[in-house]
Amino acid sequence: MNEHACPLCEADGGLLVFRNHDLRIIQADEAGFPAFYRVVWNRHVAEFSDLSATERQICMHAVVKVEQVLRSELQPAKINLAALGNMVPHLHWHVIARFDWDSHFPAPVWSVPQRPVDEAQVAAVASQCLEINRLIAEKMAL
Amino acid sequence: MNEHACPLCEADGGLLVFRNHDLRIIQADEAGFPAFYRVVWNRHVAEFSDLSATERQICMHAVVKVEQVLRSELQPAKINLAALGNMVPHLHWHVIARFDWDSHFPAPVWSVPQRPVDEAQVAAVASQCLEINRLIAEKMAL
């Protein structure tokens, strides 16, 4: 896949939370996981090791900022980080707040569900995401 | 989970490829995925953001070294990186070479299989892992 057929070259890929020259942070729209963010490298590269050492630091700095805000605001059971890209080979990092009540915990979000979605708990997390998005943007702008 | 009940505090967690003061690199034993490595932080921390900025650089430097060797030796369709730790919350990075013929591609390895394991292809990759392990150790020792 080159940049001419790449959905992450054509669109932000979700609700835009922050953008700079190098990368953007979006809130994904994944059912049952409101606190599911992605750090998308703006340039079309497939692999993390396609970045220079400096670029990798910039990228992981953003991943860590998102992780820190999710931890401080949501106290999740675990943060999940992943750069897979098998379907869309344009570098993007998933940053996902996981909870012991979520539909898949402790399995990965890509695995089979462990239980039904708890709509009330999901809504409670979702209601915090506006403030989370504001905090991510604020910390990235520092 | 504290370090007294943690399998990654009690054992290497796989075939030891490299170890230094901070971390170790192991080849995992995951059926169908011979080129499945883990970078395990030696100290018991749960989250990537529990590391200092310097430690995060050291950690990702190792992740990238493994990725680079897998890419140069195997030309995989994609590298998958992930730090999940829902079951074992001791920081470890999965570094997985993925192939379009593998049992789960393009789905994540934690998802449902897409096809049967191709034993011949798996064996061919496995046969390269001795050299891969040697190269990883060599590059980490530089």
Side-chain angles (χ1 to χ4, degrees):
Chain A
M1 183 185 288
N2 63 31
E3 59 267 42
H4 301 300
C6 173
L8 290 178
C9 288
E10 289 177 355
D12 291 334
L15 177 68
L16 190 66
V17 173
F18 173 82
R19 178 195 286 275
N20 64 18
H21 174 74
D22 295 312
L23 57 84
R24 59 192 185 265
I25 298 170
I26 60 113
Q27 184 185 4
D29 182 15
E30 301 283 344
F33 298 96
F36 192 138
Y37 290 80
R38 292 193 180 103
V39 175
V40 183
W41 197 253
N42 289 333
R43 193 169 87 247
H44 185 86
V45 296
E47 303 287 7
F48 187 56
S49 60
D50 289 332
L51 300 185
S52 71
T54 301
E55 289 173 328
R56 291 196 296 265
Q57 283 184 36
I58 291 168
C59 188
M60 296 314 287
H61 175 82
V63 168
V64 165
K65 287 292 163 194
V66 176
E67 173 171 317
Q68 287 171 333
V69 172
L70 293 180
R71 291 182 72 183
S72 66
E73 294 303 302
L74 296 172
Q75 297 84 48
K78 193 68 189 68
I79 296 290
N80 289 176
L81 305 178
L84 307 179
N86 303 326
M87 304 280 281
V88 179
H90 176 134
L91 181 63
H92 58 283
W93 281 91
H94 306 279
V95 185
I96 315 163
R98 302 297 309 278
F99 300 91
D100 60 7
W101 49 260
D102 78 36
S103 54
H104 290 58
F105 197 87
V109 299
W110 305 281
S111 188
V112 292
Q114 307 293 304
R115 63 191 68 82
V117 172
D118 184 328
E119 299 289 358
Q121 298 256 44
V122 167
V125 172
S127 73
Q128 292 180 262
C129 286
L130 199 64
E131 174 65 4
I132 287 169
N133 296 354
R134 192 190 66 73
L135 285 167
I136 290 170
E138 182 180 285
K139 287 180 186 297
M140 287 299 298
L142 290 179
Chain B
M1 183 184 289
N2 63 31
E3 59 266 40
H4 301 300
C6 173
L8 290 178
C9 288
E10 290 178 356
D12 291 334
L15 177 68
L16 190 66
V17 173
F18 174 82
R19 177 196 286 276
N20 64 19
H21 174 74
D22 295 313
L23 56 84
R24 59 192 184 264
I25 299 171
I26 61 114
Q27 184 185 4
D29 182 16
E30 299 283 343
F33 298 96
F36 192 137
Y37 290 80
R38 292 193 181 102
V39 175
V40 183
W41 197 254
N42 289 333
R43 193 170 86 247
H44 185 85
V45 297
E47 303 286 7
F48 187 55
S49 62
D50 289 332
L51 301 185
S52 71
T54 301
E55 290 173 328
R56 291 196 296 266
Q57 283 184 35
I58 291 168
C59 188
M60 296 315 287
H61 174 81
V63 168
V64 165
K65 288 292 163 194
V66 176
E67 173 171 318
Q68 287 171 334
V69 172
L70 293 180
R71 291 181 72 183
S72 66
E73 296 302 301
L74 296 173
Q75 296 85 48
K78 192 70 190 65
I79 295 289
N80 288 177
L81 305 178
L84 306 179
N86 304 325
M87 303 280 282
V88 179
H90 176 135
L91 181 64
H92 57 283
W93 281 92
H94 305 279
V95 185
I96 315 164
R98 301 296 309 277
F99 300 92
D100 60 7
W101 49 259
D102 79 35
S103 55
H104 290 59
F105 198 87
V109 299
W110 305 281
S111 188
V112 292
Q114 306 293 305
R115 63 191 67 84
V117 172
D118 184 328
E119 299 290 358
Q121 298 256 45
V122 167
V125 172
S127 73
Q128 292 180 261
C129 286
L130 199 64
E131 174 65 4
I132 287 168
N133 295 355
R134 193 190 66 74
L135 286 167
I136 291 170
E138 181 179 287
K139 287 178 186 299
M140 287 299 298
L142 290 178

